[in-house]
Amino acid sequence: MPSTASRPLRLRLVEAVRALLAQRLVRFILVGGTATAAHAGTTILLVDGIGMASPTLATVLGTVVGIATSYLGNWAWTFGARGGHAHHLPRFLLVYSLIMGFNGGAMYIMQGTLGLHYLAPLFLTLVISPILTFLLNQHFVFRNVHRA
C-alpha cells in the first residue's frame, strides 16, 4: 500500500473532507439529541415538576431551551465557530424558522388537504428536516468556519 504522502493531493483532500463531514454529522446528531432531551426535559420539569398549569407555555419554553442548546452545541462543537454570534445566530434562527415552516406546511398539505394520516407527514419531516438542517447549517449558518 502506498504511503499517505505518495497519494495524490486531490485524494488526500477528498479523504480529509469526508472525514470532517462524517465527524460533523456525528456531532450534529449528538447535539440534536441533547437539544431534544433539553426541550423535553424542560417541558416535563415545568409541567410535572413545578406544576405549570399550561403545557403549551411549558413546551414553548422547552423549545427555547432546545433551540439554545442546539445553537450553542452546533456553534461551539459541531462546526467549531468562535465569536460571530451577530452573524451566526440570526442565520441559525432563520434556518429553524424555515424548517418549522416546512414541517407545518407538510403537515397542512399532507394531512389537512390530502387527508393522509398525520404520521405520514410527521415521518417525512422527521427524515428530511435533519438532513436539510445539517446542510443549511454547514453551507449557510456556519459557512467558512474551519475546525482545527
Side-chain angles (χ1 to χ4, degrees), residues 24-122:
R24 280 188 174 168
L25 184 57
V26 168
R27 289 178 183 211
F28 181 80
I29 291 167
L30 291 172
V31 167
T34 302
T36 300
H39 174 176
T42 299
T43 303
I44 292 166
L45 175 67
L46 291 173
V47 173
D48 293 334
I50 66 170
M52 181 177 276
S54 172
T56 301
L57 178 58
T59 200
V60 167
L61 295 172
T63 299
V64 170
V65 171
I67 288 172
T69 302
S70 179
Y71 172 72
L72 292 173
N74 284 310
W75 172 79
W77 193 48
T78 304
F79 297 99
R82 298 293 175 257
H85 291 297
H87 174 77
H88 298 300
L89 184 58
R91 288 170 177 245
F92 183 86
L93 294 174
L94 174 62
V95 163
Y96 278 82
S97 295
L98 292 172
I99 294 299
M100 188 181 306
F102 169 73
N103 292 347
M107 183 64 75
Y108 177 80
I109 291 167
M110 293 176 74
Q111 194 279 323
T113 303
L114 300 176
L116 298 176
H117 192 276
Y118 81 94
L119 290 177
L122 179 63

